Amino acid sequence: MEAWVPLFDIFMNSPTPEIEASLWLQQCFNATTLSSSTTTPITASSFLSLLAKPCNLFVDDSSFSSPLTPKRIMFIETLPGMVQSRVLSFLALENERFNGKELSKLARSLLSESQGLDFWVKKAARDLLDRVSEPNHVNKWISGFSLESGEEVVGQEFESLPDWLKDMAAGNDPLLYWLPLSAADCGPRFYDDSLENDESLFSQVEENGENGLKEVGDEIEMDRVLNVPLEPEIENMAASLRDRVINLESSFKAVALGNEIRELCLDKGMDPFQVLCLIEPWKAEDEAASVLISHLSSGDEDELAWPSQVLCSIVLPKFLVLEEPASRLLLTSTIEYSKLHQRAAVHALLFPLVLRKEGINNPICDVITRILRECLHPAHVSAFCQTLLCGGEEERRFILLPCHEYLVSKELVWTDSLFNLLHNILNHNVHLTQDSVDRLVYHVRNIAERFSKSLKFGNFVLCLVTKCSSLLNSHKNVLTEAVECTNTLVTKSILLRIASL
């Protein structure tokens, strides 16, 4: 067991456990090959055997006469949930090193104990099971058979064509090389040369492209609102709701108002963005707005569309102009809503807030930090950072009402509060990807002189060098030149950390 302690230490403490564990195992495999006197050989099979090793866990069960009842579990189940998920993620990443059947058995055994299993452990186990059950594994297995020899085929009927295809097989110009049917046999709707000259499909695409609100799969690009006039009746209803929003005083009235807004936006077949622009629900007081949020959900709405419209029309406008700490009640309601609608929170809150035209301040930084910590898993936060730092405008699309577009930029605006936010993210054990770290180094180099006396900038760089040390080896010279331009209390500490990379 002692031989595996360094590996589990990597899974416990490393910011990049998969990479370091792979390197450690490779080194141990090489050492085991060269030295045959190793008392405890470190191999792929021995690692899986250790993880699946049965152990006795004594639990308190009052249904038995004995107060402590032994329960047989695998060794991996005795590890903390975070370590279990990291081990399973590593096995999924390096699945070709291990026996596929053993990996599948391990994943299935964990999933069979789903009661009380940590969510992320269960997710990692399913991912591992999917990896070892992918079609390429099946294809490799099938390719191992020599079908041409006929040894595996029982009887000749398997290889023979059905009677209705025998005549077709003698014909020329089959539609598919493995299917002896001509194009004429499939009907005009299946194969029609006239489609090549048919402009109707392209005219439909152009017509849909003119609309400001376009559906892409199950998602929506919220760049503009449809310029279609609303019916006078709908406009009058929206105006009435707007007056009630402005004069909203009690939570009881907020419940009724929320139900009416949802009905008008979803049940009347109107474009919610147009209706919400007229109602202006962001003008409600914080207490009433917090009640509105919780009563604007419906059980069958789209995962992104309606929840994002709720957030960007009620909460986002308030947070974009924050100059003081956010209302505790409003922030709590926003977090609870965001936990249920994480994708909407990313596109309708996090992206617009981080990309605020004037840059984020301390109150906005606190709001973003709480949403990231309490609503998203660290892996999702890492994906958010990657999209923010490396993605283009299409990947970083955000959702907001047209009347608030002037408050948001398409590029990051660097401020002390943004450094503080990135510092908070790194301290939350978020493992950034290599391309995210590369972009951060690029920005550090470009803005080092401008923030040469900023302690928050210095603390962020120190945290970056500490948490992402394994990803910064190729950037030592660039970071050294950038840090040498600064003059803060942590400058020397940063240089020492860089030198030790």
Side-chain angles (χ1 to χ4, degrees):
M1 178 61 195
E2 289 80 2
W4 298 103
V5 170
L7 180 59
F8 287 108
D9 183 65
I10 290 174
F11 286 125
M12 178 72 76
N13 301 311
S14 172
T16 54
E18 292 86 357
I19 298 174
E20 293 192 28
S22 179
L23 293 174
W24 186 87
L25 276 179
Q26 185 60 49
Q27 292 173 357
C28 292
F29 292 165
N30 295 337
T32 302
T33 304
L34 295 174
S35 175
S36 59
S37 61
T38 306
T39 55
T40 306
I42 295 179
T43 62
S45 59
S46 63
F47 181 54
L48 289 182
S49 299
L50 174 64
L51 296 178
K53 181 180 179 181
C55 301
N56 285 329
L57 176 68
F58 291 91
V59 295
D60 187 4
D61 192 343
S62 58
S63 61
F64 292 88
S65 58
S66 176
L68 294 179
T69 304
K71 179 183 178 182
R72 299 283 283 180
I73 62 173
M74 295 185 294
F75 171 76
I76 189 175
E77 295 179 83
T78 66
L79 302 174
M82 179 194 71
V83 177
Q84 291 185 51
S85 63
R86 288 185 168 191
V87 170
L88 293 171
S89 298
F90 165 74
L91 294 176
L93 181 66
E94 299 286 344
N95 64 85
E96 293 185 357
R97 288 178 179 264
F98 301 91
N99 184 291
K101 291 183 178 179
E102 295 298 324
L103 290 177
S104 177
K105 182 179 178 181
L106 178 67
R108 292 181 187 278
S109 298
L110 283 172
L111 292 173
S112 65
E113 301 288 339
S114 59
Q115 185 176 3
L117 193 64
D118 181 80
F119 171 80
W120 296 109
V121 176
K122 186 187 301 184
K123 191 174 186 300
R126 287 176 177 170
D127 180 57
L128 174 60
L129 189 60
D130 291 341
R131 291 290 185 93
V132 297
S133 305
E134 285 177 352
N136 61 325
H137 291 274
V138 179
N139 294 337
K140 291 179 182 177
W141 175 75
I142 292 177
S143 64
F145 292 99
S146 177
L147 295 180
E148 295 179 358
S149 65
E151 294 176 359
E152 288 82 8
V153 180
V154 180
Q156 297 298 323
E157 294 182 0
F158 180 81
E159 296 179 335
S160 61
L161 289 172
D163 294 336
W164 63 277
L165 278 179
K166 287 182 179 179
D167 295 335
M168 297 289 184
N172 296 323
D173 192 23
L175 182 63
L176 300 171
Y177 72 91
W178 49 266
L179 180 64
L181 288 178
S182 64
D185 297 318
C186 296
R189 290 182 62 85
F190 185 82
Y191 183 82
D192 191 353
D193 292 334
S194 64
L195 285 176
E196 296 179 3
N197 301 320
D198 192 354
E199 299 294 335
S200 62
L201 293 176
F202 299 99
S203 62
Q204 284 183 352
V205 172
E206 293 176 355
E207 181 179 351
N208 293 336
E210 294 175 358
N211 294 335
L213 185 64
K214 303 183 287 296
E215 291 191 3
V216 182
D218 293 332
E219 300 182 0
I220 297 181
E221 288 185 357
M222 267 66 66
D223 51 355
R224 296 192 303 269
V225 180
L226 287 172
N227 296 318
V228 179
L230 294 173
E231 299 178 3
E233 179 184 359
I234 300 298
E235 289 187 357
N236 293 335
M237 293 174 64
S240 174
L241 292 174
R242 180 180 65 244
D243 295 337
R244 290 169 60 187
V245 165
I246 296 175
N247 300 315
L248 197 58
E249 296 178 353
S250 67
S251 301
F252 177 77
K253 292 182 179 179
V255 174
L257 181 60
N259 293 333
E260 292 184 43
I261 292 175
R262 185 181 66 234
E263 180 182 359
L264 181 60
C265 291
L266 299 181
D267 298 341
K268 297 289 185 180
M270 298 292 103
D271 175 42
F273 274 85
Q274 285 183 292
V275 177
L276 292 171
C277 280
L278 291 175
I279 296 176
E280 300 179 346
W282 61 89
K283 293 186 176 180
E285 295 295 330
D286 288 350
E287 181 181 356
S290 64
V291 179
L292 274 178
I293 296 172
S294 58
H295 287 83
L296 279 175
S297 295
S298 61
D300 56 349
E301 75 258 12
D302 183 86
E303 182 183 354
L304 180 64
W306 176 244
S308 64
Q309 291 156 5
V310 171
L311 290 173
C312 77
S313 63
I314 299 178
V315 181
L316 178 62
K318 291 178 174 291
F319 289 160
L320 280 172
V321 296
L322 271 182
E323 296 295 338
E324 298 179 353
S327 162
R328 181 179 179 182
L329 187 60
L330 179 62
L331 183 55
T332 301
S333 299
T334 302
I335 289 173
E336 293 303 318
Y337 192 88
S338 299
K339 287 178 180 178
L340 300 175
H341 308 286
Q342 296 180 8
R343 292 179 64 216
V346 170
H347 290 281
L349 270 184
L350 295 178
F351 275 131
L353 287 176
V354 175
L355 295 170
R356 184 173 181 254
K357 183 166 288 187
E358 296 180 2
I360 66 172
N361 53 29
N362 287 335
I364 297 177
C365 174
D366 294 338
V367 169
I368 298 174
T369 300
R370 285 202 58 185
I371 294 174
L372 290 174
R373 284 182 175 176
E374 300 184 32
C375 303
L376 302 182
H377 185 268
H380 298 156
V381 179
S382 178
F384 166 75
C385 293
Q386 183 185 33
T387 304
L388 181 68
L389 295 168
C390 311
E393 292 184 11
E394 176 63 22
E395 292 83 6
R396 283 192 307 192
R397 62 183 179 274
F398 46 79
I399 302 168
L400 76 166
L401 297 180
C403 52
H404 301 130
E405 287 181 353
Y406 72 97
L407 295 171
V408 180
S409 171
K410 293 183 179 180
E411 300 294 335
L412 279 172
V413 179
W414 294 94
T415 63
D416 280 347
S417 296
L418 182 56
F419 300 137
N420 196 28
L421 173 64
L422 294 171
H423 186 271
N424 293 338
I425 290 174
L426 290 172
N427 278 334
H428 188 46
N429 291 324
V430 173
H431 307 309
L432 298 182
T433 58
Q434 180 67 63
D435 53 348
S436 298
V437 173
D438 294 342
R439 290 299 297 174
L440 283 177
V441 172
Y442 168 79
H443 289 298
V444 166
R445 181 185 61 182
N446 290 340
I447 63 179
E449 291 187 5
R450 181 162 34 123
F451 294 93
S452 60
K453 296 183 179 180
S454 170
L455 185 58
K456 288 186 177 181
F457 173 70
N459 286 331
F460 155 65
V461 176
L462 179 59
C463 187
L464 175 67
V465 173
T466 303
K467 297 287 187 178
C468 305
S469 57
S470 61
L471 304 177
L472 293 172
N473 291 327
S474 61
H475 299 297
K476 288 180 65 174
N477 294 334
V478 174
L479 283 172
T480 301
E481 293 177 5
V483 175
E484 286 176 347
C485 298
T486 65
N487 183 20
T488 66
L489 295 174
V490 295
T491 297
K492 291 184 178 180
S493 300
I494 300 173
L495 291 173
L496 289 174
R497 288 292 305 177
I498 295 175
S500 65
L501 291 176

